[in-house]
Amino acid sequence: VNIRRESTSYADMFRGIHWSTNLTVSLLLLVVLSTPASAYLDGGTGSLFVQVVLAGVLAGLVMAKSVWFSIKDGIGRIFARRTGSTHSDR
Amino acid sequence: MGSDGSSRAGPGLRIVTAEKRLHSSFRDPSGYVFIRDGVVYRHIGHGYLPHYRQLVESGLYDHLVKLRLLIPHEEVDPGLSGADAALVLKPERVRTISYPYEWSFGMLRDAALATLSIQRHALERGMVLKDASAYNIQFHRGVPTLIDTLSFEPYVEGKPWIAYRQFCQHFVAPLALMSLVDARFGRSLGLYLDGFPLDFASRLCPRTSWLKPWLLVHLHLHARAQQSRGLHAARPSPSVGSQGRPGSFSRQSLVGLIDSLESLVKGLRWNPPKTTWRDYYAETNYSDQASEAKRRIVRSYLDLLGPIERAWDLGANTAEFSRLIAERGVATVAWDIDVAAVEIAYRRIKEQGPEALLPLVQDLTNPSPGIGWALKERDSLVDRGPVDLVLALALVHHLAIGNNVPLTQVAQHFSQLGEYLVVEFVPKEDSQVQRMLKSREDIFEDYSRDGFEEAFGETCEILRRDAVPDSERTLYLMRRRG
């Protein structure tokens, strides 16, 4: 009963937003706000909301960065191998 | 008195001395800081013990201490706490407590980057920071260091960062204002103990700040989301839940959040403009000979004093003279009203040391008061003293003539701050004072060398008096009476 009530309450905050997104964010905030006993800080609903909204973008950027670094590393390794072969030729 | 905080009053009778709990240590139920016999301890409650164990066993504690990001401690007898403690820690003592509203731009920026670095290292070992208060950072041995060992909790997959709001209010908003509007905004952090309100900062920042993508998100849109409590200001992006698990704030998202905040903080810059004080040493009427003579006299006073532990240089400018004290290993604070001078001093200390020197912003005509809950959460300037030595060079005329403070009151206040005083008297004949009197009536009849000695003579014993060669000025070494 409590869970349903909280879920409804968070859903109310996002009235006007598409119902599927609304449900997703509500369920996530439910998880987010049921924090362990040690969390004494108020994360702020608006602040948690911003993070939830940005989640995909932030993760995407990390992935893009990781891909970029592996490409850079790969190129670096090719050049290193060439330099290495030059040394062995000597 | 035993080093374990107890004393023996007679055979078999053990009296445990009372602990004094710090007024600022009450928000987090995980534990608190207390002082017993002048030693600082941290009480850890039973509820927090598993988290503390994880901090240590994961290797995070050792790693952060090695990087000088976390204050080192030793575990001591839990009986030292008056309450039922699971553990008691004895952290390394921070010699000078300072507050974010006394830091220059670069200091707050470095504290922000240290916080993010700690969060990143914590995440790598399955933990996160459960708070991101700027007050948890202290400049310890010259570098920003987390002093709250209980700031860690286990990372739970899918959860956003609970301290994100606090980080933005304590670091992002003031740094943006200091960088984009005016570096003196740092001082206003004293008005808002839980950080600068985001909506207020958003309104004060220039329109061009909306063009910085991460500032747009973490300050402007964040402020609007806070105002509308997440109602309609920021529409959920279709990308929410695109990472396989619907609606999850994945670990990768959290790493991305840290990356974006780090990128934002690194992108905020401020370089000290040319100000009166910054160029003081270049533009003053002091000749090189007089300046060198002044150094020699100050050094001779320090030799006379012998070993001391703490010193404050009031009106220190870019900390040229504070350096003479700090180089002897004395924990020295270089206080100055000018944020540019403090920033220059901080940058130089970062490059060259000495680590015992800490530059801080302070308006001596309106010094940091006790603030926060019951006015005791953050100590006033006076409460953080007295120190062994107060240095006040070329300062008295600014207080007496620039701010109309009678010399007797200057003497009383200095004596309240330190046991030994090194004070420079600048007479009316000096061109600096002449310049100050140019635009106002000279109502300072008592402002003379005799008047100075009479005023300070009421509270201090004058030990040495030396004329600074090639100038009209005199240096005094004094000791507070009683």
Side-chain angles (χ1 to χ4, degrees), chain B residues 312 370 375 378-386:
Chain B
W312 285 354
L375 300 178
R378 309 290 167 215
D379 285 339
S380 71
L381 173 75
V382 174
D383 288 338
R384 281 174 278 168

Side-chain angles (χ1 to χ4, degrees), chain B residues 296-453:
Chain B
R296 208 167 40 243
I297 296 168
V298 171
R299 278 199 193 99
S300 74
Y301 289 172
L302 294 174
D303 291 341
L304 270 177
L305 289 180
I308 53 170
E309 284 185 15
R310 294 174 69 209
W312 285 354
D313 184 0
L314 308 179
N317 197 266
T318 51
E320 298 299 318
F321 283 88
S322 331
R323 196 167 278 276
L324 300 180
I325 313 170
E327 279 166 355
R328 297 174 180 231
V330 179
T332 308
V333 181
W335 303 101
D336 202 274
I337 191 172
D338 186 65
V339 289
V342 174
E343 179 71 17
I344 289 166
Y346 176 66
R347 289 183 186 186
R348 194 168 160 209
I349 293 162
K350 261 177 84 174
E351 282 172 16
Q352 306 168 11
E355 62 178 32
L357 181 55
L358 178 66
L360 293 172
V361 179
Q362 190 66 254
D363 176 1
L364 288 167
T365 63
N366 180 26
S368 301
I371 55 171
W373 178 246
L375 300 178
K376 288 178 175 173
E377 216 176 323
R378 309 290 167 215
D379 285 339
S380 71
L381 173 75
V382 174
D383 288 338
R384 281 174 278 168
V387 291
D388 301 313
L389 170 67
V390 164
L391 195 72
L393 304 178
L395 174 68
V396 171
H397 57 296
H398 290 288
L399 301 176
I401 294 173
N403 198 49
N404 292 29
V405 183
L407 283 172
T408 46
Q409 288 195 32
V410 174
Q412 281 164 11
H413 188 51
F414 284 6
S415 308
Q416 190 185 16
L417 298 179
E419 186 186 352
Y420 286 94
L421 310 178
V422 171
V423 184
E424 181 179 23
F425 179 72
V426 182
K428 280 184 188 171
E429 296 77 40
D430 189 280
S431 62
Q432 292 282 345
V433 181
Q434 286 292 318
R435 200 181 301 168
M436 292 176 81
L437 288 171
K438 221 176 228 177
S439 55
R440 62 172 304 169
E441 195 181 335
D442 182 359
I443 52 164
F444 310 100
E445 279 179 25
D446 296 333
Y447 191 85
S448 64
R449 193 167 280 111
D450 288 344
F452 175 89
E453 290 189 12

Side-chain angles (χ1 to χ4, degrees), chain A residues 13-15 17 21 24 28 32 35 38 40-43 46-47 49-56 58-59 61-62 65, chain B residues 51 130-131 153 160-162 164-166 214 217 222 225-226 230-232 234 236 240 247 249 252-253 256-257 259:
Chain A
M13 296 187 305
F14 310 120
R15 209 178 298 133
I17 296 168
T21 317
T24 306
L28 181 58
V32 163
T35 50
S38 65
Y40 72 99
L41 205 66
D42 178 2
S47 304
F49 180 79
V50 169
Q51 293 181 76
V52 170
V53 167
L54 283 176
L58 294 168
L61 285 174
V62 171
K65 209 166 124 182
Chain B
H51 299 344
K130 65 179 181 183
D131 46 29
E153 67 179 7
W161 189 22
I162 192 87
Y164 169 67
R165 176 192 62 82
Q166 198 175 41
W214 290 127
V217 169
H222 190 175
Q226 276 188 340
L231 269 170
H232 307 297
V240 173
F249 191 79
Q252 211 161 19
S253 303
L257 183 72
D259 283 352

Side-chain angles (χ1 to χ4, degrees), chain B residues 236-270:
Chain B
S237 137
S239 55
V240 173
S242 65
Q243 302 306 305
R245 299 192 317 129
S248 169
F249 191 79
S250 66
R251 187 192 174 88
Q252 211 161 19
S253 303
L254 188 49
V255 172
L257 183 72
I258 302 166
D259 283 352
S260 67
L261 288 168
E262 198 174 72
S263 163
L264 162 56
V265 171
K266 283 183 175 169
L268 292 171
R269 292 172 190 282
W270 177 73

Side-chain angles (χ1 to χ4, degrees), chain B residues 8-81:
Chain B
R8 284 189 178 275
L13 182 63
R14 186 173 187 261
I15 298 173
V16 177
T17 53
E19 67 172 37
K20 186 186 164 213
R21 188 168 166 164
L22 280 199
H23 290 295
S24 57
S25 188
F26 63 87
R27 290 186 202 283
D28 185 357
S30 306
Y32 59 87
V33 178
F34 65 93
I35 296 177
R36 190 189 283 282
D37 297 326
V39 181
V40 176
Y41 297 100
R42 192 176 282 279
H43 166 118
I44 298 184
H46 291 277
Y48 189 76
L49 191 60
H51 299 344
Y52 171 76
R53 291 285 178 230
Q54 187 179 344
L55 170 72
V56 175
E57 285 160 16
S58 64
L60 179 58
Y61 168 79
D62 282 337
H63 188 60
L64 292 178
V65 166
K66 198 174 152 197
L67 293 172
R68 298 183 66 197
L69 286 168
L70 178 64
I71 194 88
H73 67 252
E74 53 180 297
E75 293 177 16
V76 294
D77 176 14
L80 282 170
S81 171

